[in-house]
Amino acid sequence: MTSGRRISRLAALLLPVALCLAGCAGGVVKPVSVPRAQAMEHNRRGVEAEARGERGKALAEFAEALRLHTSVDNTDGMIVALVNSARTQRLGGDLQSARLSVERGASLLADGSGLASELYYEKAKILAAAGDLPAALQWAQRAEAAEQGEALGRRLNLVAALKLKQGFPDEAGELLERALAANREAKLRGEEANSLRLLGEIHLLQGACAKASESYLGALVLDKELGFSGKIAGDLAGLGSVSAASGDIKGAIGWYLRALEASRAGGDTAKAAATLEKLAQLYRLNGEVESAKLLEKQRKELLASGVARE
């Protein structure tokens, strides 16, 4: 996985949490003790290490930040380090450790804490990754209710995504319209793109191909500006789905080929394998059986290499 993909996925997620210590309260800047300053530096190094793909180093940095914050009984700092650890562990597939980290952080939360929303959000993501969608939805809704800053659109995106996965596209669509407005107001362009991409999926399910295309194209423009390779591939695949649903098989093939190249160049082999499967189906529909067979062979080789899974 390339560092570009990691930066797009992690810098936007971990840095706001890490930087929260530096200025969430606003107003007069208070002096920071040496241990707290050192802890904040370790947090920063951890974020950068994860962005480079050095997950072990990142976790070591977050652990040192946690130790330093614990030494001066700075519970907010401890929570930040634990949420960062949980997120890194989740993204690495270590859900058990992620759960332990987030639960430890939850045990430190004070009533009305400004960190509650971020912690609840991470807990929802961990539960979703484990396949417990009902529980994930509950915690995502708690994260939305606890949000005190400009991340409301991000919280709503997660609630909507979980609603969509559970078969409630109409409810998800209403939430996403709110999320889109909130993200635009907060100028969170990455989250705005997420809202648009999910709206595209819903419009497609509802048979509104023109609206779906408009949403996916809007997301694509934003993701290109931000350089989010994996999400660009998703936007392109979405546009391919719209073309296929409209009966334009050749157009769909064109979009999916672009999605395939974006996934390959971005190092997302799992998504590349899924795109190869879809392309093979489209080529068969278009009567190009030999091309379909070649793509199916490429997919099998990719899966056999162990870098992508079914």
Side-chain angles (χ1 to χ4, degrees):
M1 189 177 294
T2 66
S3 61
R5 280 189 63 224
R6 291 181 178 277
I7 290 170
S8 71
R9 186 182 65 185
L10 290 165
L13 298 179
L14 290 169
L15 275 173
V17 182
L19 292 177
C20 185
L21 289 176
C24 280
V28 178
V29 178
K30 297 179 180 179
V32 177
S33 68
V34 171
R36 289 184 66 181
Q38 290 174 337
M40 291 165 66
E41 175 63 16
H42 282 291
N43 233 338
R44 183 190 64 78
R45 291 177 186 173
V47 173
E48 292 179 351
E50 177 59 80
R52 294 192 301 269
E54 300 172 4
R55 183 163 289 122
K57 180 174 175 54
L59 289 172
E61 294 287 358
F62 294 142
E64 182 60 12
L66 176 61
R67 185 190 70 79
L68 288 163
H69 282 307
T70 303
S71 73
V72 291
D73 194 35
N74 178 22
T75 53
D76 278 359
M78 293 163 68
I79 293 168
V80 168
L82 287 163
V83 170
N84 280 342
S85 295
R87 185 159 294 140
T88 303
Q89 290 156 344
R90 169 176 59 81
L91 292 170
D94 186 359
L95 297 185
Q96 183 176 0
S97 294
R99 280 176 173 160
L100 291 173
S101 293
V102 84
E103 291 302 333
R104 184 177 174 189
S107 72
L108 298 170
L109 274 179
D111 291 341
S113 171
L115 295 171
S117 181
E118 190 66 35
L119 188 142
Y120 297 161
Y121 179 90
E122 182 53 36
K123 183 166 183 175
K125 297 282 278 188
I126 292 167
L127 288 164
D132 191 348
L133 297 183
L137 178 58
Q138 290 178 3
W139 283 98
Q141 290 170 328
R142 289 189 66 178
E144 175 199 345
E147 178 55 43
Q148 300 175 11
E150 295 185 339
L152 178 61
R154 181 169 173 242
R155 308 296 183 234
L156 287 167
N157 275 345
L158 179 57
V159 175
L162 292 167
K163 285 277 189 181
L164 182 57
K165 285 183 179 180
Q166 293 183 64
F168 301 104
D170 292 341
E171 291 181 39
E174 292 175 4
L175 289 164
L176 286 167
E177 293 294 349
R178 289 175 56 203
L180 184 60
N183 286 321
R184 282 174 172 167
E185 182 178 357
K187 295 181 173 57
L188 299 176
R189 295 174 72 75
E191 289 299 331
E192 180 184 345
N194 291 341
S195 299
L196 286 168
R197 192 180 312 102
L198 285 166
L199 280 168
E201 185 176 346
I202 291 171
H203 291 319
L204 185 58
L205 285 172
Q206 296 171 338
C209 289
K211 287 185 176 180
S213 180
E214 182 181 356
S215 294
Y216 280 125
L217 284 169
L220 180 61
V221 169
L222 291 169
D223 287 330
K224 281 188 172 183
E225 289 178 1
L226 297 167
F228 291 178
S229 176
K231 293 183 178 182
I232 289 168
D235 301 333
L236 293 168
L239 288 162
S241 296
V242 173
S243 292
S246 303
D248 181 6
I249 302 303
K250 286 187 176 181
I253 288 173
W255 286 116
Y256 273 108
L257 283 171
R258 287 173 63 181
L260 176 62
E261 291 308 311
S263 294
R264 281 175 165 167
D268 192 338
T269 52
K271 189 171 288 184
T275 306
L276 283 166
E277 182 178 23
K278 185 63 179 180
L279 274 168
Q281 294 169 358
L282 289 169
Y283 273 111
R284 285 188 181 279
L285 284 173
N286 207 42
E288 301 178 60
V289 177
E290 291 306 314
S291 294
K293 288 181 178 178
L294 178 61
L295 291 168
E296 288 164 352
K297 180 182 177 182
Q298 290 179 18
R299 177 177 177 273
K300 287 180 180 177
E301 290 173 349
L302 193 58
L303 292 170
S305 70
V307 294
R309 293 179 292 179
E310 293 277 8

